Amino acid sequence: MRILLIEDDTDTAAYLAKGLHEGGHTVHLSHDGRDGLFMALDQSYDVLVIDRMLPGMDGLAIIRSLRSAGNRTPVLILSALGEVDARVEGLRSGGDDYLAKPFAFSELLARLEALVRRTAAATEHTTSLKVGELEMDLLSRVVRRKGQAIDLQPREFRLLEYLMRNSGQVVTRTMLLENVWDYNFDPQTNVIDVHISRLRSKIDKHFDRPMLHTIRGTGYVLRADH
């Protein structure tokens, strides 16, 4: 699993990061709420672990910001507040699970694995994607806009699929390299720019309004044209 841990208590953060690393997982760590939000929006993770009380930005505010930005990465909330009302508030803010401190590491790990399995199962059962006028059939691998078929090369199809799954959310070059090209480093080529340009010419060029937008200095976003 690729995990973002946002926890301001350095001892707790070190303990969790060590255990997760030893389990073979990749862990990125933030001790500040605002920095953690930026990391969650800037990169792609399988699951987020967010402490409720954080400097810079409260954990629930982070989750609400993520959800309003279209980020659906599963979130496990950590909190010293274990009362029913506190758990309900956390879940209603967009959290997927809630674990009160103190907790056993084995339980935290089991909950993370369950969240990732649930997300993977939901993704596997999806056979089509739709964003505005744009439709993608994942079984037949047919893409249409306003009913007009669009011919895509395999890499273009994979790129568009990732953009559609994250529609309305800015995706960075790093996210595209990791999830579309399977690179864990920047090869310092214009491969992304070339494929984005080709994709844009196919899904936007002959239509009234563009759906694929460049966010200068940040990345790209696919959004419904109305």
Side-chain angles (χ1 to χ4, degrees):
M1 290 185 289
R2 182 177 166 85
I3 304 164
L4 173 61
L5 172 61
I6 310 176
E7 168 63 71
D8 65 320
D9 184 275
T10 55
D11 289 339
T12 300
Y15 166 70
L16 293 178
K18 182 175 183 293
L20 292 167
H21 277 305
E22 289 176 348
H25 306 294
T26 300
V27 182
H28 290 182
L29 178 62
S30 174
H31 297 297
D32 177 84
R34 292 190 184 280
D35 288 345
L37 174 61
F38 175 79
M39 291 173 67
L41 291 171
D42 184 58
Q43 300 192 46
S44 178
Y45 296 96
D46 296 311
V47 65
L48 310 177
V49 181
I50 303 178
D51 186 40
R52 180 162 178 163
M53 304 297 290
L54 292 163
M57 189 176 195
D58 174 75
L60 301 191
I62 294 174
I63 298 169
R64 286 191 289 265
S65 295
L66 289 171
R67 299 315 187 217
S68 65
N71 187 306
R72 298 291 175 239
T73 306
V75 174
L76 172 63
I77 301 170
L78 299 181
S79 178
L81 304 174
E83 299 82 3
V84 172
D85 288 347
R87 296 200 301 271
V88 169
E89 183 183 13
L91 296 173
R92 285 181 172 169
S93 294
D96 298 279
D97 200 356
Y98 195 104
L99 187 58
K101 299 177 180 179
F103 53 83
F105 177 79
S106 57
E107 181 180 5
L108 176 134
L109 183 58
R111 286 173 181 258
L112 293 181
E113 291 170 344
L115 285 176
V116 172
R117 281 198 307 271
R118 189 188 312 163
T119 302
T123 301
E124 288 173 2
H125 292 143
T126 300
T127 60
S128 64
L129 301 171
K130 188 176 190 315
V131 179
E133 301 171 343
L134 196 61
E135 299 177 87
M136 172 180 283
D137 188 315
L138 297 170
L139 298 180
S140 65
R141 301 185 72 79
V142 172
V143 174
R144 299 179 186 275
R145 181 169 177 183
K146 297 182 73 172
Q148 180 178 325
I150 298 172
D151 183 33
L152 298 179
Q153 295 299 312
R155 185 73 69 178
E156 294 166 350
F157 185 94
R158 188 173 175 184
L159 174 59
L160 180 59
E161 178 184 353
Y162 185 77
L163 290 166
M164 291 183 74
R165 290 188 184 278
N166 294 276
S167 63
Q169 176 186 344
V170 176
V171 297
T172 66
R173 290 177 60 88
T174 299
M175 293 166 69
L176 293 176
L177 285 169
E178 291 180 348
N179 293 280
V180 178
W181 276 269
D182 299 320
Y183 294 158
N184 291 314
F185 64 96
D186 190 339
Q188 299 297 316
T189 71
N190 65 343
V191 62
I192 292 178
D193 304 305
V194 169
H195 279 81
I196 286 287
S197 178
R198 290 175 179 168
L199 183 60
R200 181 179 278 125
S201 71
K202 293 183 178 183
I203 68 171
D204 281 342
K205 186 175 180 180
H206 302 293
F207 299 91
D208 297 336
R209 292 179 293 275
M211 296 183 67
L212 180 53
H213 304 270
T214 299
I215 309 301
R216 190 173 299 277
T218 305
Y220 309 93
V221 60
L222 181 79
R223 53 176 177 254
D225 56 321
H226 57 275

